[in-house]
Amino acid sequence: MSIKDNLTALKEELPKEVTLVAVSKTKPNASILEAYDAGHRVFGENKIQEMTQKWETLPKDIEWHMIGHVQRNKVKYMAEYVSLIHGVDSFKLLKEIDKQAKKHNRVIPCLLQVHIAEEESKFGLDKSELEGIVNSEEFKNFENIKVIGVMGMATYTQDQSQIRKEFAYLKSIFEFLSDKLLDISVLSMGMSGDYTIAIEEGSTMVRIGSSIFGARNYSQ
Ligand SMILES: *Cc1c(COP(=O)(O)O)cnc(C)c1O
């Protein structure tokens, strides 16, 4: 199936209120343009440098989402154009995003990444760290960032009940945050292998790569 066919099938399957982020990391501009020509506008990347190169060369009405781990010293490269940063996992990073957004007179929407998986390797805050951030005085004074939700990645496992449990937990944190802050609307969870469960557990935004663009080849 072509990229266009994959996208069409996926969009038919997803509930209307769920936003699809087409994860184009490692994929060439030609593949992104194929999705673009099929009408898609929201793309996700996990490396700031790669995303910036794509932003420079591809149509300007594309919304670029940073879904990967963000190094503070690279925020400046995407502050001008990034539409949503999914992987915010520290107060220091929020502070840097606020600072760089100010330089461009922007308010950058952000998601707090929560650690929900069993694996140690996955990034993210635990609930108490998240509470610490949103309860702090300094957080209330940020003018150039807006936290609009949470993001998480489930354990990579065949155990569906484990995945479901982790997504349900993220949903509970989403609800906790909704009670504390205004404008919380995004629950970013679900990838190619687990988006069906994520949607059943209340996801409002799925990040899907290989089911649209095919498997990635990292050895290139
Ligand atoms: C790569 C990636 C995805 C997409 O993964 P697929 O399995 O290809 O759908 C989603 N979220 C994050 C954070 C990723 O890094």
Side-chain angles (χ1 to χ4, degrees):
M1 290 232 290
S2 67
I3 290 170
K4 187 182 176 189
D5 290 343
N6 291 340
L7 257 180
T8 308
L10 198 52
K11 283 186 177 177
E12 269 168 26
E13 186 187 336
L14 296 175
K16 286 215 165 22
E17 63 278 10
V18 173
T19 302
L20 171 62
V21 180
V23 176
S24 49
K25 62 190 184 194
T26 78
K27 298 293 176 183
N29 283 359
S31 297
I32 298 174
L33 279 173
E34 204 178 322
Y36 181 89
D37 289 337
H40 200 73
R41 293 294 180 270
V42 184
F43 293 89
E45 292 282 335
N46 71 340
K47 297 223 160 56
I48 294 174
Q49 230 159 336
E50 180 180 342
M51 182 171 78
T52 300
Q53 278 169 5
K54 288 172 173 173
W55 166 70
E56 281 167 351
T57 46
L58 287 163
K60 285 296 179 284
D61 61 340
I62 289 178
E63 281 181 36
W64 292 104
H65 288 207
M66 174 41 56
I67 62 167
H69 184 65
V70 177
Q71 286 171 273
R72 262 181 290 146
N73 60 352
K74 292 190 180 154
V75 172
K76 56 178 178 280
Y77 302 116
M78 64 175 170
E80 181 182 348
Y81 69 89
V82 68
S83 288
L84 180 61
I85 302 176
H86 291 235
V88 180
D89 62 355
S90 75
F91 188 83
K92 281 179 168 173
L93 178 56
L94 270 180
K95 202 168 164 167
E96 176 66 12
I97 297 168
D98 185 65
K99 179 178 152 193
Q100 297 299 334
K102 195 171 293 226
K103 292 184 184 166
H104 296 281
N105 270 311
R106 297 189 62 208
V107 175
I108 298 183
C110 295
L111 305 179
L112 296 176
Q113 182 171 356
V114 182
H115 182 95
I116 57 171
E118 275 185 337
E119 295 117 319
E120 276 301 316
S121 62
K122 299 216 165 134
F123 295 104
L125 302 157
D126 63 30
K127 192 177 178 199
S128 65
E129 291 168 332
L130 180 139
E131 275 184 82
I133 290 176
V134 301
N135 286 332
S136 69
E137 258 328 293
E138 231 182 328
F139 179 79
K140 298 182 181 93
N141 295 331
F142 284 139
E143 290 180 343
N144 296 78
I145 51 161
K146 187 162 156 185
V147 170
I148 61 167
V150 292
M151 177 272 219
M153 289 169 86
T155 304
Y156 186 72
T157 173
Q158 297 303 319
D159 182 350
Q160 311 265 304
S161 66
Q162 172 77 22
I163 296 171
R164 188 176 298 281
K165 194 176 73 187
E166 291 170 2
F167 284 151
Y169 177 63
L170 188 58
K171 165 85 183 215
S172 76
I173 292 182
F174 171 77
E175 280 166 354
F176 163 81
L177 209 58
S178 304
D179 290 340
K180 278 201 103 54
L181 303 177
L182 297 172
D183 308 315
I184 297 298
S185 60
V186 178
L187 176 51
S188 168
M189 60 185 195
M191 316 181 10
S192 293
D194 57 19
Y195 70 88
T196 310
I197 303 175
I199 288 167
E200 285 166 5
E201 295 305 323
S203 171
T204 71
M205 187 175 277
V206 290
R207 311 173 309 269
I208 298 181
S210 38
S211 292
I212 299 172
F213 296 107
R216 285 176 295 274
N217 182 356
Y218 282 106
S219 61
Q220 288 168 354

